Amino acid sequence: MKTTTTKYIKKNIDLCQLEVVNNKLQLGEVKSSTFIRIPESDINLSFITDLVQNRFQDYIPLDDGIILVDNRAVPFPDDEGTRDAEFWKTSARRVGAVLQSDLQTMRQY
């Protein structure tokens, strides 16, 4: 009988503050960092967000959550692009996690 081996993607995620530089929102100071292992069979934004939220639970208030964003603090959409393993394998792509409340507050500026 042939056994299947699950392949994983390793990705570094930074839990960041947000800051405004030249009137543009971007990732700021890193509060914490972690590596996650994403099973290639389970690539979707909700699953990955849950993995990251569990890793950073000590930094997240009970009534808050996190959102995964790019360098410019733009949330990643849950679409075909983010469900593709290549999206997460790209080492040059920085993935930040920010508090939902911080993103809502900072978007007002």
Side-chain angles (χ1 to χ4, degrees), residues 35-87:
F35 274 95
I36 59 168
R37 291 179 48 189
I38 307 164
E40 286 191 8
S41 58
D42 265 330
I43 298 178
N44 68 69
L45 199 59
S46 178
F47 177 80
I48 296 168
T49 301
D50 287 346
L51 277 178
V52 174
Q53 187 147 327
N54 286 335
R55 291 288 180 90
F56 291 136
Q57 64 186 357
D58 292 343
Y59 297 91
I60 304 168
L62 292 175
D63 60 344
D64 210 343
I66 60 155
I67 297 175
L68 299 180
V69 298
D70 66 15
N71 269 347
R72 296 172 293 138
V74 175
F76 291 121
D78 188 11
D79 61 16
E80 287 182 30
T82 58
R83 291 184 207 118
D84 183 357
E86 293 307 312
F87 179 89

Side-chain angles (χ1 to χ4, degrees), residues 11-18 25-28 45 49 52 66-77 87-88 93-100 102-103 107:
K11 190 71 182 170
N12 181 60
I13 312 286
D14 296 323
L15 180 64
C16 299
Q17 296 277 86
L18 289 171
L25 193 58
Q26 66 182 33
L27 295 180
L45 199 59
T49 301
V52 174
I66 60 155
I67 297 175
L68 299 180
V69 298
D70 66 15
N71 269 347
R72 296 172 293 138
V74 175
F76 291 121
F87 179 89
W88 300 99
R93 177 174 285 111
R94 182 177 182 198
V95 177
V98 298
L99 294 177
Q100 290 175 354
D102 287 353
L103 188 60
R107 288 260 180 230

